[in-house]
Coordinates of all heavy atoms in Angstrom, one line a residue:
M9 N -82.7 -46.0 -35.8 CA -83.7 -46.9 -36.3 C -84.6 -46.2 -37.3 O -85.0 -46.9 -38.3 CB -84.5 -47.5 -35.2 CG -85.2 -48.7 -35.5 SD -85.9 -49.6 -34.1 CE -87.0 -48.5 -33.5
A10 N -84.9 -45.0 -37.1 CA -85.9 -44.3 -38.0 C -85.4 -44.3 -39.5 O -86.2 -44.6 -40.4 CB -86.1 -42.9 -37.5
P11 N -84.1 -43.9 -39.7 CA -83.7 -44.0 -41.1 C -83.8 -45.4 -41.8 O -84.1 -45.5 -42.9 CB -82.2 -43.5 -41.1 CG -82.1 -42.7 -39.8 CD -83.1 -43.4 -38.9
L12 N -83.5 -46.4 -41.0 CA -83.6 -47.7 -41.5 C -85.0 -48.1 -42.0 O -85.2 -48.6 -43.0 CB -83.2 -48.7 -40.3 CG -83.2 -50.2 -40.6 CD1 -82.2 -50.6 -41.6 CD2 -83.0 -50.9 -39.3
F13 N -86.0 -47.7 -41.2 CA -87.4 -48.0 -41.6 C -88.0 -47.0 -42.5 O -88.8 -47.4 -43.4 CB -88.2 -48.2 -40.3 CG -87.9 -49.4 -39.5 CD1 -87.9 -49.3 -38.1 CD2 -87.7 -50.6 -40.1 CE1 -87.6 -50.5 -37.4 CE2 -87.4 -51.8 -39.4 CZ -87.3 -51.7 -38.0
N14 N -87.7 -45.7 -42.3 CA -88.3 -44.7 -43.2 C -87.8 -44.8 -44.6 O -88.6 -44.5 -45.6 CB -87.9 -43.3 -42.7 CG -88.6 -42.9 -41.4 OD1 -89.6 -43.5 -41.0 ND2 -88.0 -42.0 -40.7
L15 N -86.6 -45.3 -44.9 CA -86.1 -45.4 -46.2 C -86.3 -46.8 -46.9 O -86.0 -47.0 -48.0 CB -84.6 -45.1 -46.2 CG -84.3 -43.7 -45.8 CD1 -82.7 -43.5 -45.7 CD2 -84.9 -42.6 -46.7
H16 N -86.8 -47.8 -46.1 CA -87.0 -49.1 -46.6 C -88.2 -49.1 -47.5 O -89.3 -48.8 -47.1 CB -87.2 -50.1 -45.5 CG -86.9 -51.5 -45.9 ND1 -87.8 -52.2 -46.7 CD2 -85.9 -52.4 -45.7 CE1 -87.3 -53.4 -46.9 NE2 -86.2 -53.5 -46.3
P17 N -88.0 -49.6 -48.8 CA -89.1 -49.5 -49.7 C -90.3 -50.5 -49.4 O -91.4 -50.3 -49.9 CB -88.5 -49.9 -51.1 CG -87.3 -50.7 -50.7 CD -86.8 -50.1 -49.4
C18 N -90.1 -51.5 -48.6 CA -91.2 -52.5 -48.3 C -91.9 -52.2 -47.0 O -92.8 -52.9 -46.7 CB -90.6 -53.9 -48.2 SG -89.9 -54.5 -49.8
I19 N -91.5 -51.1 -46.3 CA -92.2 -50.8 -45.0 C -93.0 -49.5 -45.2 O -92.5 -48.5 -45.6 CB -91.1 -50.5 -43.9 CG1 -90.4 -51.8 -43.7 CG2 -91.8 -50.0 -42.7 CD1 -89.2 -51.7 -42.7
S20 N -94.3 -49.7 -45.0 CA -95.2 -48.6 -45.2 C -95.5 -47.8 -43.9 O -95.7 -46.6 -44.0 CB -96.5 -49.0 -45.8 OG -97.2 -50.0 -45.0
E21 N -95.4 -48.5 -42.8 CA -95.6 -47.8 -41.5 C -94.8 -48.6 -40.4 O -94.6 -49.8 -40.6 CB -97.1 -47.9 -41.1 CG -98.1 -47.1 -41.9 CD -99.5 -47.2 -41.3 OE1 -99.7 -47.1 -40.1 OE2 -100.4 -47.5 -42.1
W22 N -94.4 -47.9 -39.4 CA -93.8 -48.5 -38.3 C -93.9 -47.6 -37.1 O -94.1 -46.4 -37.2 CB -92.3 -48.8 -38.6 CG -91.4 -47.6 -38.7 CD1 -91.2 -46.9 -39.8 CD2 -90.7 -47.0 -37.6 NE1 -90.4 -45.8 -39.6 CE2 -90.0 -45.9 -38.2 CE3 -90.5 -47.3 -36.3 CZ2 -89.2 -45.0 -37.5 CZ3 -89.7 -46.4 -35.6 CH2 -89.0 -45.3 -36.2
S23 N -93.9 -48.2 -35.9 CA -93.9 -47.4 -34.6 C -93.3 -48.2 -33.5 O -93.2 -49.5 -33.6 CB -95.3 -47.0 -34.3 OG -96.1 -48.2 -34.0
V24 N -92.9 -47.5 -32.5 CA -92.3 -48.2 -31.3 C -93.2 -47.7 -30.1 O -93.3 -46.5 -29.9 CB -90.8 -47.9 -31.1 CG1 -90.4 -48.5 -29.8 CG2 -90.0 -48.3 -32.2
D25 N -93.7 -48.6 -29.4 CA -94.5 -48.2 -28.2 C -93.5 -48.1 -27.0 O -93.2 -49.0 -26.3 CB -95.6 -49.3 -27.9 CG -96.5 -48.9 -26.7 OD1 -96.2 -47.9 -26.0 OD2 -97.4 -49.6 -26.5
T26 N -93.1 -46.9 -26.8 CA -92.1 -46.6 -25.7 C -92.8 -46.6 -24.3 O -92.1 -46.6 -23.3 CB -91.4 -45.3 -25.9 OG1 -92.3 -44.2 -26.0 CG2 -90.5 -45.3 -27.2
E27 N -94.1 -46.6 -24.3 CA -94.8 -46.7 -23.0 C -94.8 -48.1 -22.5 O -95.0 -48.4 -21.3 CB -96.3 -46.2 -23.2 CG -96.4 -44.8 -23.7 CD -96.2 -43.8 -22.5 OE1 -96.6 -44.1 -21.4 OE2 -95.6 -42.7 -22.8
D28 N -94.7 -49.1 -23.4 CA -94.7 -50.5 -23.0 C -93.3 -50.9 -22.5 O -92.3 -50.5 -23.1 CB -95.0 -51.4 -24.3 CG -95.2 -52.8 -23.9 OD1 -94.2 -53.5 -23.6 OD2 -96.4 -53.3 -24.0
V29 N -93.2 -51.7 -21.5 CA -91.9 -52.1 -20.9 C -91.1 -52.9 -21.9 O -89.8 -52.8 -21.8 CB -92.2 -53.0 -19.6 CG1 -92.8 -54.3 -20.0 CG2 -90.9 -53.2 -18.9
D30 N -91.7 -53.5 -22.9 CA -90.9 -54.2 -23.9 C -90.6 -53.4 -25.2 O -89.9 -53.8 -26.1 CB -91.7 -55.4 -24.4 CG -91.9 -56.5 -23.3 OD1 -90.9 -56.8 -22.6 OD2 -93.0 -57.0 -23.2
N31 N -91.0 -52.1 -25.2 CA -90.7 -51.2 -26.3 C -91.1 -51.9 -27.6 O -90.3 -52.1 -28.5 CB -89.3 -50.7 -26.4 CG -88.9 -49.8 -25.2 OD1 -89.7 -48.9 -25.0 ND2 -87.8 -50.0 -24.6
V32 N -92.4 -52.2 -27.7 CA -92.9 -53.0 -28.8 C -92.8 -52.3 -30.2 O -93.2 -51.1 -30.3 CB -94.3 -53.4 -28.6 CG1 -94.9 -54.2 -29.8 CG2 -94.4 -54.3 -27.3
L33 N -92.1 -52.9 -31.1 CA -92.0 -52.4 -32.5 C -93.1 -53.0 -33.3 O -93.3 -54.2 -33.3 CB -90.7 -52.8 -33.1 CG -90.5 -52.6 -34.6 CD1 -90.5 -51.1 -34.9 CD2 -89.2 -53.3 -35.0
R34 N -93.8 -52.2 -34.0 CA -94.9 -52.6 -34.9 C -94.5 -52.2 -36.3 O -94.2 -51.0 -36.5 CB -96.2 -52.1 -34.6 CG -96.8 -52.6 -33.3 CD -98.1 -52.0 -32.9 NE -98.6 -52.6 -31.6 CZ -98.2 -52.2 -30.4 NH1 -97.4 -51.3 -30.3 NH2 -98.7 -52.8 -29.3
V35 N -94.5 -53.1 -37.3 CA -94.2 -52.8 -38.7 C -95.3 -53.2 -39.6 O -95.8 -54.4 -39.5 CB -92.8 -53.5 -39.0 CG1 -92.5 -53.3 -40.5 CG2 -91.7 -53.1 -38.1
V36 N -95.6 -52.4 -40.5 CA -96.6 -52.7 -41.6 C -95.9 -52.9 -42.9 O -95.2 -51.9 -43.4 CB -97.7 -51.6 -41.7 CG1 -98.7 -52.0 -42.8 CG2 -98.4 -51.5 -40.4
S37 N -96.0 -54.1 -43.5 CA -95.4 -54.4 -44.8 C -96.1 -55.5 -45.4 O -96.5 -56.5 -44.7 CB -93.9 -54.8 -44.6 OG -93.3 -55.2 -45.8
L38 N -96.3 -55.4 -46.7 CA -96.9 -56.5 -47.5 C -95.9 -57.5 -47.9 O -96.3 -58.6 -48.2 CB -97.7 -55.9 -48.7 CG -98.8 -55.0 -48.4 CD1 -99.4 -54.4 -49.7 CD2 -99.9 -55.7 -47.6
N39 N -94.6 -57.2 -47.9 CA -93.6 -58.1 -48.4 C -92.7 -58.7 -47.4 O -92.1 -59.7 -47.7 CB -92.7 -57.3 -49.4 CG -93.5 -56.6 -50.5 OD1 -94.1 -55.6 -50.2 ND2 -93.5 -57.2 -51.7
L40 N -92.6 -58.1 -46.2 CA -91.6 -58.6 -45.2 C -92.4 -59.5 -44.2 O -93.5 -59.2 -43.8 CB -90.9 -57.5 -44.5 CG -90.2 -56.5 -45.4 CD1 -89.6 -55.4 -44.6 CD2 -89.1 -57.3 -46.2
I41 N -91.7 -60.5 -43.8 CA -92.2 -61.4 -42.7 C -91.4 -61.1 -41.4 O -90.4 -60.3 -41.4 CB -92.1 -62.9 -43.0 CG1 -90.6 -63.3 -43.3 CG2 -93.0 -63.2 -44.3 CD1 -90.4 -64.8 -43.4
E42 N -91.9 -61.6 -40.3 CA -91.3 -61.4 -39.0 C -89.8 -61.5 -39.0 O -89.0 -60.7 -38.5 CB -92.0 -62.3 -38.0 CG -91.6 -62.1 -36.6 CD -92.4 -63.1 -35.7 OE1 -93.5 -62.7 -35.3 OE2 -91.9 -64.2 -35.4
N43 N -89.3 -62.6 -39.5 CA -87.9 -62.9 -39.5 C -87.1 -61.9 -40.3 O -85.9 -61.5 -40.0 CB -87.6 -64.3 -40.0 CG -86.2 -64.7 -39.6 OD1 -85.8 -64.6 -38.5 ND2 -85.4 -65.2 -40.6
D44 N -87.7 -61.3 -41.4 CA -87.0 -60.3 -42.2 C -86.8 -59.1 -41.3 O -85.7 -58.5 -41.4 CB -87.9 -59.9 -43.4 CG -88.0 -61.0 -44.4 OD1 -87.1 -61.9 -44.5 OD2 -89.1 -61.0 -45.1
I45 N -87.7 -58.7 -40.6 CA -87.6 -57.5 -39.7 C -86.5 -57.8 -38.6 O -85.7 -56.9 -38.4 CB -89.0 -57.2 -39.0 CG1 -90.0 -56.9 -40.1 CG2 -88.8 -56.0 -38.0 CD1 -89.7 -55.7 -41.0
I46 N -86.6 -58.9 -38.0 CA -85.6 -59.3 -37.0 C -84.2 -59.2 -37.6 O -83.3 -58.6 -37.0 CB -85.9 -60.7 -36.4 CG1 -87.2 -60.6 -35.6 CG2 -84.7 -61.2 -35.6 CD1 -87.7 -62.0 -35.1
Q47 N -84.0 -59.8 -38.8 CA -82.6 -59.8 -39.4 C -82.2 -58.3 -39.8 O -81.0 -58.0 -39.7 CB -82.6 -60.7 -40.7 CG -82.8 -62.1 -40.3 CD -81.7 -62.6 -39.3 OE1 -80.5 -62.3 -39.5 NE2 -82.2 -63.3 -38.3
L48 N -83.2 -57.5 -40.2 CA -82.9 -56.1 -40.5 C -82.4 -55.4 -39.3 O -81.4 -54.7 -39.3 CB -84.1 -55.5 -41.1 CG -84.0 -54.0 -41.6 CD1 -83.0 -53.9 -42.7 CD2 -85.4 -53.6 -42.1
M49 N -83.1 -55.6 -38.2 CA -82.7 -55.0 -36.9 C -81.3 -55.5 -36.5 O -80.4 -54.7 -36.1 CB -83.7 -55.3 -35.9 CG -85.1 -54.7 -36.1 SD -85.1 -52.9 -35.9 CE -84.9 -52.8 -34.1
L50 N -81.1 -56.8 -36.5 CA -79.8 -57.3 -36.1 C -78.7 -56.8 -37.0 O -77.5 -56.6 -36.5 CB -79.9 -58.9 -36.1 CG -80.8 -59.5 -35.1 CD1 -80.8 -61.0 -35.3 CD2 -80.3 -59.2 -33.7
S51 N -78.9 -56.6 -38.2 CA -77.8 -56.1 -39.1 C -77.3 -54.7 -38.8 O -76.2 -54.4 -39.1 CB -78.3 -56.1 -40.6 OG -79.2 -55.0 -40.8
K52 N -78.2 -54.0 -38.0 CA -77.8 -52.7 -37.5 C -77.5 -52.7 -36.0 O -77.5 -51.6 -35.4 CB -78.9 -51.7 -37.8 CG -79.2 -51.5 -39.3 CD -78.0 -51.1 -40.1 CE -78.3 -50.9 -41.6 NZ -77.2 -50.5 -42.3
S53 N -77.3 -53.9 -35.5 CA -76.9 -54.1 -34.1 C -78.0 -53.7 -33.1 O -77.7 -53.4 -31.9 CB -75.6 -53.3 -33.7 OG -74.5 -53.7 -34.6
F54 N -79.2 -53.8 -33.5 CA -80.4 -53.6 -32.6 C -80.8 -55.0 -32.1 O -80.7 -55.9 -32.9 CB -81.6 -52.9 -33.3 CG -81.3 -51.5 -33.6 CD1 -81.1 -51.1 -34.9 CD2 -81.4 -50.5 -32.6 CE1 -80.9 -49.7 -35.1 CE2 -81.2 -49.2 -32.8 CZ -81.0 -48.8 -34.1
V55 N -81.2 -55.1 -30.9 CA -81.7 -56.4 -30.4 C -83.2 -56.4 -30.7 O -84.0 -55.4 -30.4 CB -81.5 -56.5 -28.8 CG1 -82.1 -57.7 -28.3 CG2 -80.0 -56.4 -28.6
C56 N -83.7 -57.5 -31.2 CA -85.1 -57.6 -31.6 C -85.5 -59.1 -31.5 O -84.7 -60.0 -32.0 CB -85.3 -57.1 -33.0 SG -87.0 -57.1 -33.6
E57 N -86.6 -59.4 -31.0 CA -87.2 -60.7 -31.0 C -88.7 -60.7 -31.0 O -89.3 -59.7 -30.6 CB -86.7 -61.5 -29.7 CG -87.1 -60.9 -28.4 CD -86.5 -61.6 -27.2 OE1 -85.3 -61.9 -27.2 OE2 -87.3 -61.9 -26.3
A58 N -89.3 -61.7 -31.5 CA -90.7 -61.8 -31.5 C -91.3 -62.0 -30.1 O -90.8 -62.8 -29.4 CB -91.2 -62.9 -32.5
L59 N -92.4 -61.3 -29.9 CA -93.1 -61.6 -28.6 C -94.0 -62.8 -28.8 O -94.5 -63.0 -29.8 CB -94.0 -60.4 -28.2 CG -93.2 -59.1 -27.8 CD1 -94.2 -58.0 -27.6 CD2 -92.4 -59.3 -26.6
P60 N -94.1 -63.6 -27.7 CA -94.9 -64.8 -27.8 C -96.4 -64.4 -28.0 O -96.8 -63.3 -27.5 CB -94.7 -65.5 -26.5 CG -94.2 -64.5 -25.5 CD -93.5 -63.4 -26.4
D61 N -97.1 -65.2 -28.7 CA -98.6 -64.9 -28.9 C -99.4 -65.0 -27.6 O -99.1 -65.7 -26.7 CB -99.2 -65.9 -29.9 CG -98.6 -65.6 -31.3 OD1 -98.2 -64.5 -31.6 OD2 -98.6 -66.6 -32.1

């Protein structure tokens, strides 16, 4: 997952909270929306879904 996010030109920061039971992914981007991140993850066979508010 690191190469996917580290090399993406629209992602300025990202992290995964491995201490959280849900392994929460946080992404900072001015250009991408939630669904863009989900589709990016799915394209590389990672499971990803938005957490409810």
Side-chain angles (χ1 to χ4, degrees):
M9 195 169 65
L12 178 67
F13 290 137
N14 289 341
L15 298 175
H16 198 288
C18 295
I19 297 175
S20 59
E21 292 180 49
W22 68 275
S23 64
V24 177
D25 184 351
T26 57
E27 301 280 323
D28 189 292
V29 68
D30 293 317
N31 291 315
V32 176
L33 169 66
R34 291 179 179 83
V35 177
V36 177
S37 173
L38 297 176
N39 305 77
L40 301 177
I41 61 172
E42 185 177 274
N43 196 51
D44 294 333
I45 300 298
I46 292 171
Q47 291 307 312
L48 184 61
M49 296 287 291
L50 291 174
S51 75
K52 300 299 182 183
S53 300
F54 289 104
V55 176
C56 182
E57 62 184 46
L59 291 174
D61 289 334

